[in-house]
Amino acid sequence: MELLIVIVFALGYLAITLEHSLKIDKLIPAVSMMAICWAIIAFGIDDFKYWFDSGQHKLLESFGALEHEGKMHLMEETLLHHLGKTAEILFFLLGAMTIVEIIDYFDGFSTFKSYIKTKNKKRLLWIFAFLAFILSAIIDNLTATIVLITILQKIVNNKETRMWFAGLIIVAANAGGAWSPIGDVTTTMLWIANKVSAGKLVEFLVIPSLVCMVIPVFIASFMKPFKGNLDGDVEVSPDEIHDTTYSSIMLYLGLGMILFVPAFKTITHLPPYVGMMLSLGVVCTFAEIFSTKQFRITSLSDNKDSVGHHSPVHKSLSQIEMPSVLFFFGILMAVAALESLGMLFHFAEDLNTTIPNTDIVVMLLGVGSAIIDNVPLVAASLGMFSQEIDHPLWHFIAFSAGTGGSMLIIGSASGVVAMGMEKISFFWYLKKITWLAALGFISGAATFMLMRFLIIG
């Protein structure tokens, strides 16, 4: 039975990795393998010798001696436990994604265009890199990449040059997302699972992540694609912003309320999704007020009745990327099936026996995240290791999984979206950007290990 579950998981994983070749959305294999794995467990519950109690985080070696009813009851409790933990992550992400969509509804991100007033390619590279690094830490690396490439398309005419900019934006966005508890799905998973705290994550990873971003950008700034100035009139006028007042207000309000969530968790000790729901409520309130005022002004100027007004909240909710949410659900619950049977626990023991150096294991995790999705890798690590909160291992996992995906364009959500927006080929990125991303990853990892040695000894 255990072998059958591993085969189902491996086939599902392969289908996720080959999403673009198979032309099948990755949510389909994710939710399918989740359901099949748990169904196999239910049918063969009496054949399993071990069970991993996630609540107490220990392996129950006496599981095989329990009666059938007792095993089924424990399985149901475990399933509910994992569903609750997964729901915490999903509702957190839904709240954050809705706030970002509301900001976009008011064209808030166009405010950043007013900051870009240079034609010099090298300066533009550093501006976009630091914007990606900071913005991804607040609104996540995927959204930051979409926002910045959209702006990039408005100011850079040459496609080859734009592809180079996009490649470095991917590297910077992934580096920026690694040091923030809300910057990447994987760091959010570790934060919500009480493996890292927001303050310590920032303290230990902001410098390694900065190094991971600066090294590739510094090297690239001396390369031919970033020499000289852009052709044509690329300066962006503030007049391009549709509604300056509401755009900027909603941008700063939305970003501020997302940043409020870690503070809310620290003060109240409540799960992060509770703070995110409060932030969502505040942003939605102002969005409705501003939208109503905006509509009334438009109606009066056009001599129309105030009818047909659409809620910005409803509009934003309709834009949520639900396939991604379902993918996360399927992956996390499928990994939970392997964890519940103690497979990850035994795999961790075997791995530590084969490779006793955890630094090598974690760096291999980072390299692996460039090939396959980092979400299941981090989900697996939660079941593999049992170190206490804010142990350096968890911080290193957050860094490796977050930045390692930059080495291939298919290795991160930001890379995949950039691939679609700019039609960047896998082999172009492999030839031009991979070596830069790898240098950044190795430099950042070395910086982290040096800091750990100096702080802990």
Side-chain angles (χ1 to χ4, degrees):
M1 282 292 185
E2 290 184 354
L3 179 60
L4 182 59
I5 291 174
V6 171
I7 291 173
V8 169
F9 189 85
L11 290 175
Y13 215 106
L14 182 63
I16 291 169
T17 307
L18 300 175
E19 174 191 15
H20 298 287
S21 300
L22 297 175
K23 307 298 181 184
I24 298 176
D25 196 293
K26 60 185 177 182
L27 83 89
I28 298 173
V31 296
S32 298
M33 73 177 180
M34 178 276 292
I36 295 171
C37 284
W38 280 102
I40 295 172
I41 292 175
F43 284 124
I45 193 75
D46 293 324
D47 297 329
F48 300 116
K49 297 180 180 179
Y50 304 103
W51 193 265
F52 191 79
D53 190 332
S54 301
Q56 300 181 29
H57 208 84
K58 68 177 183 179
L59 192 68
L60 302 179
E61 297 184 359
S62 60
F63 179 74
L66 294 176
E67 296 292 331
H68 177 78
E69 290 75 13
K71 292 179 178 179
M72 291 298 292
H73 179 70
L74 188 57
M75 183 196 72
E76 290 173 4
E77 284 189 341
T78 303
L79 191 56
L80 282 173
H81 170 82
H82 286 296
L83 179 61
K85 290 299 179 182
T86 301
E88 285 188 2
I89 297 172
L90 297 185
F91 276 100
F92 179 91
L93 293 175
L94 283 170
M97 292 163 74
T98 305
I99 290 176
V100 169
E101 290 296 338
I102 290 174
I103 295 173
D104 190 52
Y105 177 90
F106 287 90
D107 203 26
F109 294 114
S110 63
T111 304
F112 288 116
K113 288 187 285 186
S114 62
Y115 300 150
I116 304 171
K117 301 180 182 297
T118 180
K119 293 182 180 182
N120 184 274
K121 292 180 183 178
K122 185 180 293 189
R123 290 179 185 172
L124 273 176
L125 174 62
W126 284 105
I127 290 172
F128 273 105
F130 274 103
L131 275 175
F133 186 78
I134 295 170
L135 198 58
S136 63
I138 304 173
I139 61 173
D140 78 61
N141 47 14
L142 172 62
T143 309
T145 301
I146 294 172
V147 169
L148 293 177
I149 290 182
T150 300
I151 296 173
L152 188 69
Q153 290 172 339
K154 298 180 185 299
I155 65 174
V156 179
N157 297 322
N158 183 274
K159 179 172 174 58
E160 181 74 13
T161 302
R162 209 163 56 235
M163 288 167 63
W164 273 96
F165 272 100
L168 273 301
I169 285 174
I170 293 168
V171 174
N174 288 336
W179 62 272
S180 165
I182 53 180
D184 185 88
V185 176
T186 52
T187 54
T188 300
M189 287 166 58
L190 291 167
W191 182 44
I192 292 177
N194 283 322
K195 299 301 182 183
V196 297
S197 63
K200 291 294 183 180
L201 186 70
V202 174
E203 179 184 343
F204 282 97
L205 290 191
V206 66
I207 294 177
S209 297
L210 186 63
V211 170
C212 181
M213 181 273 286
V214 167
I215 294 297
V217 173
F218 177 77
I219 295 172
S221 65
F222 292 97
M223 296 171 66
K224 186 177 179 181
F226 298 103
K227 291 183 178 180
N229 297 328
L230 294 173
D231 297 327
D233 184 12
V234 298
E235 293 189 16
V236 181
S237 170
D239 294 335
E240 287 186 30
I241 300 174
H242 300 299
D243 191 321
T244 307
T245 305
Y246 291 147
S247 293
S248 57
I249 289 176
M250 288 309 298
L251 172 67
Y252 298 128
L253 175 66
L255 298 185
M257 292 311 299
I258 292 175
L259 287 173
F260 164 76
V261 176
F264 181 86
K265 182 183 185 295
T266 302
I267 295 169
T268 65
H269 302 290
L270 289 170
Y273 75 90
V274 179
M276 185 59 76
M277 291 300 108
L278 176 59
S279 295
L280 177 62
V282 172
V283 173
C284 287
T285 300
F286 280 93
E288 293 288 349
I289 293 171
F290 293 154
S291 180
T292 302
K293 286 183 178 180
Q294 200 173 44
F295 183 76
R296 284 176 179 171
I297 292 171
T298 304
S299 298
L300 289 173
S301 62
D302 294 341
N303 295 318
K304 294 180 180 179
D305 294 329
S306 295
V307 294
H309 172 57
H310 296 287
S311 166
V313 177
H314 291 177
K315 176 69 174 177
S316 298
L317 283 169
S318 69
Q319 301 298 314
I320 295 297
E321 187 68 24
M322 285 305 297
S324 296
V325 175
L326 287 173
F327 166 72
F328 297 143
F329 170 75
I331 278 292
L332 293 174
M333 293 301 290
V335 172
L338 300 182
E339 179 185 324
S340 299
L341 294 175
M343 292 183 185
L344 297 183
F345 183 84
H346 292 303
F347 178 72
E349 288 185 333
D350 295 339
L351 194 63
N352 288 331
T353 302
T354 307
I355 309 176
N357 190 320
T358 54
D359 286 340
I360 297 175
V361 173
V362 175
M363 289 191 71
L364 288 175
L365 186 80
V367 175
S369 70
I371 304 169
I372 52 182
D373 200 279
N374 58 1
V375 171
L377 289 177
V378 173
S381 73
L382 292 174
M384 287 168 55
F385 304 105
S386 57
Q387 278 78 354
E388 69 278 4
I389 185 172
D390 282 328
H391 189 281
L393 173 71
W394 297 119
H395 296 132
F396 200 18
I397 288 174
F399 172 83
S400 294
T403 62
S406 301
M407 287 186 278
L408 293 178
I409 196 166
I410 61 170
S412 65
S414 54
V416 171
V417 75
M419 187 180 191
M421 292 179 74
E422 282 299 329
K423 302 296 184 290
I424 302 173
S425 74
F426 175 88
F427 292 103
W428 183 93
Y429 189 94
L430 183 67
K431 181 181 178 182
K432 308 288 187 181
I433 306 296
T434 293
W435 68 278
L436 289 169
L439 281 176
F441 174 72
I442 294 170
S443 301
T447 303
F448 174 84
M449 288 186 276
L450 177 62
M451 287 177 59
R452 184 186 59 192
F453 175 76
L454 293 176
I455 295 172
I456 300 176

